[in-house]
Amino acid sequence: MTLRWPGSSHPEDDFEAWIAQRHQERVLDGSSTPAGPCPDEAFLQGLARHSKQISLTDPRVGHAANCPICMRRLLALRPQYQARRRRLVLTAAAVCCCLVVAAFVVLARRGSETPHLAANMAAIPQTVDLWNAGTLRNGQPSPLQSVTLPAALVKVTIILPRFSESGQYDVAVTRDQAGHDLLAHGSATATGNGDREEVSVNLDLRNSRPGSYFLSTTHEQNQASYYYPLQIK
Ligand SMILES: [Zn+2]
């Protein structure tokens, strides 16, 4: 038989709980006849806390289920175990909460480290004016235009050549004007200022050796690239 006690938390067990209740009332009335002697306290405690070591086929279970004395003892023991289980569940929940909070704190700290580093190392603002640069395409830099940037973390604001389209631009620093050996790049949306389009990106040139390079702008939509000679000092 299955032992069920009042206060079962599952609604589907309600019927079973009801039967158990009726049975319990009969037992407590002394209407049932228990078989065998009363089991010891340890056994009743195990039964009260639903110990897995107790088999429901154990004759002592049958006895306890039909003995008014054992039934009363079980009813007295159960609230104690229920309270203890509730405490255990609460403690476990509290521990879980602490772990979750700790994990969030660690992640938040880790996440904030990188921006902190970047913020501490302020990018050097540089303006590159390409307004009058020649508009020859793909690898034909204007001989008039040469750009100089420091070997540092720079925030470059490029004034794009006249007639430049609005939209997203990719700005890159490369070793040659075929786009090989990419040193740094960034992309941003050009902001219109009158008919002038400007694009601002951060370029990390800290690991760059001084020398001759190329600065390129590529319009992301039409993929038109322009290269300008660049000196890194
Ligand atoms: Zn008994």
Side-chain angles (χ1 to χ4, degrees), residues 34-39 44 63-64 66-71:
C38 289
L44 289 176
H63 168 94
N66 290 292
C67 169
I69 301 162
C70 292
M71 181 73 81

Side-chain angles (χ1 to χ4, degrees), residues 59-121:
R60 289 175 296 179
V61 174
H63 168 94
N66 290 292
C67 169
I69 301 162
C70 292
M71 181 73 81
R72 283 199 185 89
R73 185 70 193 126
L74 283 171
L75 290 173
L77 285 169
R78 270 190 58 76
Q80 295 175 26
Y81 286 112
Q82 275 175 339
R84 197 168 74 174
R85 206 170 329 170
R86 256 197 299 275
R87 272 202 304 278
L88 277 173
V89 167
L90 282 175
T91 309
V95 167
C96 284
C97 282
C98 287
L99 287 177
V100 167
V101 167
F104 266 111
V105 167
V106 167
L107 285 176
R109 272 198 197 147
R110 227 177 254 177
S112 65
E113 264 165 25
T114 322
H116 259 285
L117 207 68
N120 287 345
M121 220 168 324

Side-chain angles (χ1 to χ4, degrees), residues 125-133 145 147 149 154-162 164-165 169-173 185-193 196-203 214-218 226 228 230:
Q126 295 281 310
T127 302
V128 173
D129 188 354
L130 300 175
W131 179 247
N132 289 313
Q145 202 70 39
V147 179
L149 289 174
V154 291
K155 182 183 170 65
V156 188
T157 300
I158 299 172
I159 299 165
L160 294 167
R162 71 177 87 227
S164 289
E165 290 178 56
Y169 280 84
D170 194 61
V171 177
V173 175
H185 83 116
S187 69
T189 305
T191 51
N193 181 11
R196 278 175 19 154
E197 294 285 339
E198 286 182 12
V199 62
S200 279
V201 294
N202 282 327
L203 296 176
F214 284 88
L215 178 75
S216 69
T217 62
T218 304
Y226 299 94
Y228 308 93
L230 167 72

